[in-house]
Short mmCIF file of all heavy atoms in Angstrom, two decimals:
data_model
loop_
_atom_site.label_atom_id
_atom_site.label_comp_id
_atom_site.label_asym_id
_atom_site.label_seq_id
_atom_site.Cartn_x
_atom_site.Cartn_y
_atom_site.Cartn_z
N MET A 23 -47.73 44.88 1.70
CA MET A 23 -47.42 46.18 1.12
C MET A 23 -48.23 46.40 -0.19
O MET A 23 -48.95 47.34 -0.32
CB MET A 23 -45.92 46.29 0.85
CG MET A 23 -45.09 46.21 2.15
SD MET A 23 -43.32 45.83 1.91
CE MET A 23 -42.75 47.31 1.11
N LEU A 65 -39.75 36.26 0.73
CA LEU A 65 -38.90 37.05 1.64
C LEU A 65 -37.98 36.15 2.43
O LEU A 65 -36.86 36.57 2.81
CB LEU A 65 -39.76 37.90 2.57
CG LEU A 65 -40.63 38.96 1.89
CD1 LEU A 65 -41.30 39.83 2.92
CD2 LEU A 65 -39.83 39.80 0.90
N LYS A 77 -24.59 54.86 -10.77
CA LYS A 77 -23.86 55.66 -11.73
C LYS A 77 -24.81 56.69 -12.36
O LYS A 77 -26.00 56.43 -12.55
CB LYS A 77 -23.26 54.77 -12.83
CG LYS A 77 -22.28 53.74 -12.31
CD LYS A 77 -21.81 52.85 -13.45
CE LYS A 77 -20.84 51.79 -12.96
NZ LYS A 77 -20.40 50.86 -14.05
N PRO A 89 -27.49 32.07 0.64
CA PRO A 89 -26.82 31.01 -0.10
C PRO A 89 -27.70 29.78 -0.21
O PRO A 89 -28.30 29.35 0.78
CB PRO A 89 -25.57 30.75 0.77
CG PRO A 89 -25.35 32.01 1.52
CD PRO A 89 -26.71 32.58 1.80
N TRP A 172 -20.52 17.20 -35.32
CA TRP A 172 -19.28 16.68 -35.92
C TRP A 172 -18.29 17.80 -36.20
O TRP A 172 -17.08 17.60 -36.25
CB TRP A 172 -19.58 15.95 -37.23
CG TRP A 172 -20.05 16.81 -38.36
CD1 TRP A 172 -21.34 17.14 -38.66
CD2 TRP A 172 -19.24 17.44 -39.33
NE1 TRP A 172 -21.40 17.96 -39.76
CE2 TRP A 172 -20.12 18.14 -40.22
CE3 TRP A 172 -17.87 17.47 -39.60
CZ2 TRP A 172 -19.64 18.88 -41.29
CZ3 TRP A 172 -17.41 18.21 -40.66
CH2 TRP A 172 -18.31 18.91 -41.50
N ALA A 175 -17.22 18.64 -31.83
CA ALA A 175 -16.97 17.68 -30.77
C ALA A 175 -15.58 17.04 -30.92
O ALA A 175 -15.11 16.77 -32.04
CB ALA A 175 -18.04 16.59 -30.76
N LEU A 202 -16.31 34.15 -19.96
CA LEU A 202 -14.97 33.95 -19.41
C LEU A 202 -14.22 33.04 -20.35
O LEU A 202 -14.76 32.49 -21.31
CB LEU A 202 -15.04 33.35 -18.02
CG LEU A 202 -15.83 34.14 -16.97
CD1 LEU A 202 -15.92 33.33 -15.66
CD2 LEU A 202 -15.19 35.50 -16.73
N ALA A 258 -31.61 14.90 4.30
CA ALA A 258 -30.91 14.29 5.43
C ALA A 258 -31.70 14.46 6.69
O ALA A 258 -32.25 15.53 6.99
CB ALA A 258 -29.53 14.97 5.62
N ALA A 259 -31.81 13.38 7.43
CA ALA A 259 -32.56 13.40 8.71
C ALA A 259 -31.76 14.18 9.75
O ALA A 259 -30.52 14.14 9.76
CB ALA A 259 -32.81 11.99 9.20
#
Side-chain angles (χ1 to χ4, degrees):
M23 297 162 68
L65 297 186
K77 300 176 181 178
W172 69 270
L202 302 175

